[in-house]
């Protein structure tokens, strides 16, 4: 067990809050990476850039996390749509590597290599998440 020693109760709470925040981000990243307890699969292929689906990828993800961060996913899973019934979402117009970066942001609040994906992420944000990426640009 970690012991936090700082001067004063406010510092204790701040340190504890920062530690909990860092641990939760790591845990969500681990969930994304492992797919443990996932309840939906997102199949992503690159559309026009990948007509044969050679770069297609499946992500085992969690409805509760996606719904919390995206009103589009929330509406999809809250209503009686095919995706909610079959627990499979097909996205055919986004590159898999770009969607993976987006998922990392949804799960962890961070984007690695944004300079490589900025324009594509904004396009995906318009389609999938509406507003979350606009907070960091």
């Amino acid at each position: 067990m970690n012991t936090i020693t700082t001067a004063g109760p406010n510092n204790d709470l701040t340190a504890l809050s920062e530690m909990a925040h860092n641990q939760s981000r790591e845990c969500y990243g681990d969930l994304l990476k492992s797919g443990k307890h996932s309840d939906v699969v997102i199949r992503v292929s690159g559309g026009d850039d990948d007509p044969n689906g050679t770069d297609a990828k499946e992500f085992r993800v969690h409805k509760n996390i996606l719904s919390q961060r995206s009103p589009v996913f929330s509406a999809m899973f809250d209503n009686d749509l095919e995706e909610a019934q079959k627990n499979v979402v097909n996205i055919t117009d986004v590159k898999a590597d770009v969607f993976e970066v987006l998922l990392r942001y949804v799960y962890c609040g961070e984007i690695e290599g944004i300079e490589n994906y900025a324009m594509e992420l904004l396009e995906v944000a318009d389609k999938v998440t509406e507003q979350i990426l606009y907070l960091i640009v």
Side-chain angles (χ1 to χ4, degrees):
M1 182 173 193
N2 294 338
T3 303
I4 300 172
T5 55
T6 58
N10 289 337
N11 290 338
D12 286 344
L13 293 176
T14 300
L16 184 60
S17 175
E18 287 175 11
M19 185 175 74
H21 177 72
N22 290 336
Q23 286 176 345
S24 69
R25 288 176 66 181
E26 289 173 20
C27 292
Y28 292 155
D30 289 345
L31 280 175
L32 176 61
K33 186 175 181 179
S34 72
K36 187 175 183 178
H37 303 299
S38 63
D39 53 0
V40 65
V41 172
I42 298 181
R43 295 181 181 143
V44 181
S45 59
D48 294 338
D49 291 339
D50 186 26
N52 298 324
T54 55
D55 290 329
K57 189 169 183 179
E58 289 189 353
F59 300 95
R60 296 179 358 205
V61 294
H62 307 83
K63 290 179 183 178
N64 57 346
I65 294 173
L66 295 176
S67 295
Q68 181 65 32
R69 297 293 302 259
S70 166
V72 173
F73 281 118
S74 183
M76 182 185 298
F77 299 136
D78 286 346
N79 294 299
D80 196 28
L81 300 177
E82 181 179 352
E83 293 87 353
Q85 294 174 0
K86 293 185 176 182
N87 295 319
V88 175
V89 177
N90 291 301
I91 299 176
T92 59
D93 58 350
V94 177
K95 293 179 185 175
D97 60 337
V98 173
F99 195 78
E100 190 167 11
V101 171
L102 175 74
L103 283 176
R104 178 86 182 149
Y105 179 76
V106 168
Y107 275 71
C108 302
E110 59 191 30
I111 294 180
E112 296 174 8
I114 191 168
E115 63 279 356
N116 300 323
Y117 300 104
M119 293 307 296
E120 292 168 300
L121 286 169
L122 288 174
E123 291 173 16
V124 175
D126 282 339
K127 297 174 187 177
V128 178
T129 60
E130 292 181 352
Q131 81 255 10
I132 65 170
L133 284 175
Y134 292 106
L135 300 174
I136 63 167
V137 176

